[in-house]
Amino acid sequence: MRFDLIDLRLFLAVVDAGSMTHGAADAGLSLPAASERLRDMEMIGKVKLLERGRRGVRPTPAGEALAHHARLILRQMARMRGELGEHADGLRATIRLAVNTAALTEFLPQRLGAWMTAHPRIDVDLKERQSIEIARAVAADLVEIGILSDAVDTGGLQLRPFAVDRLVVVIPRDHVFAARRRALFADIADQPFVGLSDGALQSHIDAQARRLGLTLKMRSRMRSFEGMCHMVSAGVGLAIMPETAARRGGRSAKTAFVRLADDWATRRLSVCVRAEEELSPPARDLFEHLGSSGSH
């Protein structure tokens, strides 16, 4: 049924007025134009919408159903116009942000939380993605701001330093690797592992294993780094996670960690945009805020 908003407003005006003449006038249409539109609505819908009588018009059961949905649609349209008006006036804004797992879990919450507290009228639509997906999304203007690692091609994007993310292997304190300071991924890849249930970091680790022609022996997958640390402490397997998470989780789970020596395990995170001059003022302010302490 191809009813447009003018049709819906006219129909409601006629139903509310109980009169074709008054309804047409309320909708800002002439009586002939209104009559033609209503006839077309009935013909398109192949259903009678109005009963016409000496005392005016009233809706049929089908007309009552249409009136109900028309009110909902027009109410939602009014709400949409109001919210868009707020955006246009600079009173509200939503910034689209895509980040990798390390940024999302270890570095972003404190920095983003402080900024959002200072900007209570601005919302952030936050998505977790792999760094290569983030670069593509920023380049395609699907998100305004991305936080990604230096392991991917960021040609054409504007970057600022954000943080250094070091991946480590979490082990039980009495593990044979406990005496080591560093280990290569290839040296531990045959061990049983505890992984994340989902997320960009786990996909990145799995990809590194595939590059070696290996599939990690994943004994279990957890939803948090803390849960992974407790599983490691119990002897279930090893785990790979950011050093900040390993330090935090190790205090309660009584685990140790060894730094991964592979180049891909030390990642410099950058905050990136397609073009700073294209950003809205709130997005530009957030970009500058996130890129202001990249030495962390």
Short mmCIF file of all heavy atoms in Angstrom, two decimals, residues 130 198-208 210:
data_model
loop_
_atom_site.label_atom_id
_atom_site.label_comp_id
_atom_site.label_asym_id
_atom_site.label_seq_id
_atom_site.Cartn_x
_atom_site.Cartn_y
_atom_site.Cartn_z
N GLN A 130 38.08 -5.81 14.31
CA GLN A 130 39.49 -6.01 14.06
C GLN A 130 40.06 -4.76 13.40
O GLN A 130 39.36 -4.02 12.71
CB GLN A 130 39.72 -7.22 13.17
CG GLN A 130 39.36 -8.55 13.82
CD GLN A 130 39.81 -9.72 12.98
OE1 GLN A 130 40.99 -9.85 12.68
NE2 GLN A 130 38.87 -10.58 12.61
N ASP A 198 34.61 -14.46 22.14
CA ASP A 198 34.53 -13.78 20.84
C ASP A 198 35.34 -12.50 20.93
O ASP A 198 35.97 -12.22 21.95
CB ASP A 198 33.07 -13.47 20.45
CG ASP A 198 32.33 -12.71 21.54
OD1 ASP A 198 32.98 -11.94 22.28
OD2 ASP A 198 31.11 -12.88 21.66
N GLY A 199 35.36 -11.74 19.86
CA GLY A 199 36.06 -10.47 19.90
C GLY A 199 37.20 -10.40 18.91
O GLY A 199 37.70 -11.41 18.40
N ALA A 200 37.63 -9.16 18.62
CA ALA A 200 38.66 -8.92 17.63
C ALA A 200 40.01 -9.47 18.04
O ALA A 200 40.78 -9.96 17.20
CB ALA A 200 38.76 -7.42 17.35
N LEU A 201 40.35 -9.41 19.34
CA LEU A 201 41.66 -9.90 19.79
C LEU A 201 41.79 -11.40 19.54
O LEU A 201 42.82 -11.87 19.03
CB LEU A 201 41.87 -9.59 21.27
CG LEU A 201 43.14 -10.17 21.89
CD1 LEU A 201 44.38 -9.67 21.16
CD2 LEU A 201 43.22 -9.84 23.37
N GLN A 202 40.77 -12.17 19.89
CA GLN A 202 40.86 -13.62 19.69
C GLN A 202 40.97 -13.96 18.21
O GLN A 202 41.71 -14.87 17.82
CB GLN A 202 39.64 -14.31 20.31
CG GLN A 202 39.79 -15.83 20.39
CD GLN A 202 40.99 -16.25 21.23
OE1 GLN A 202 41.13 -15.84 22.37
NE2 GLN A 202 41.86 -17.06 20.64
N SER A 203 40.27 -13.22 17.37
CA SER A 203 40.37 -13.45 15.93
C SER A 203 41.79 -13.15 15.45
O SER A 203 42.34 -13.86 14.59
CB SER A 203 39.37 -12.56 15.19
OG SER A 203 38.04 -12.89 15.54
N HIS A 204 42.42 -12.14 16.01
CA HIS A 204 43.80 -11.77 15.65
C HIS A 204 44.76 -12.89 16.06
O HIS A 204 45.64 -13.27 15.27
CB HIS A 204 44.15 -10.47 16.35
CG HIS A 204 45.57 -10.01 16.15
ND1 HIS A 204 46.09 -9.71 14.91
CD2 HIS A 204 46.58 -9.81 17.04
CE1 HIS A 204 47.35 -9.34 15.04
NE2 HIS A 204 47.68 -9.40 16.31
N ILE A 205 44.59 -13.42 17.27
CA ILE A 205 45.46 -14.50 17.74
C ILE A 205 45.28 -15.76 16.89
O ILE A 205 46.25 -16.40 16.49
CB ILE A 205 45.18 -14.80 19.23
CG1 ILE A 205 45.56 -13.59 20.08
CG2 ILE A 205 45.94 -16.04 19.70
CD1 ILE A 205 45.05 -13.66 21.52
N ASP A 206 44.04 -16.09 16.59
CA ASP A 206 43.77 -17.27 15.75
C ASP A 206 44.40 -17.11 14.37
O ASP A 206 44.90 -18.08 13.78
CB ASP A 206 42.26 -17.49 15.62
CG ASP A 206 41.61 -17.90 16.95
OD1 ASP A 206 42.34 -18.36 17.84
OD2 ASP A 206 40.37 -17.75 17.06
N ALA A 207 44.39 -15.88 13.85
CA ALA A 207 44.98 -15.63 12.54
C ALA A 207 46.49 -15.83 12.58
O ALA A 207 47.08 -16.35 11.62
CB ALA A 207 44.65 -14.21 12.08
N GLN A 208 47.14 -15.44 13.69
CA GLN A 208 48.58 -15.65 13.81
C GLN A 208 48.91 -17.13 13.87
O GLN A 208 49.93 -17.58 13.32
CB GLN A 208 49.11 -14.93 15.07
CG GLN A 208 48.95 -13.43 15.05
CD GLN A 208 49.60 -12.78 13.84
OE1 GLN A 208 50.67 -13.18 13.39
NE2 GLN A 208 48.94 -11.75 13.30
N ARG A 210 47.17 -19.48 12.39
CA ARG A 210 46.99 -20.00 11.03
C ARG A 210 48.19 -19.67 10.15
O ARG A 210 48.55 -20.45 9.27
CB ARG A 210 45.70 -19.43 10.41
CG ARG A 210 44.43 -20.04 11.00
CD ARG A 210 43.23 -19.71 10.13
NE ARG A 210 42.96 -18.28 10.07
CZ ARG A 210 42.21 -17.62 10.95
NH1 ARG A 210 41.66 -18.28 11.97
NH2 ARG A 210 42.00 -16.33 10.81
#
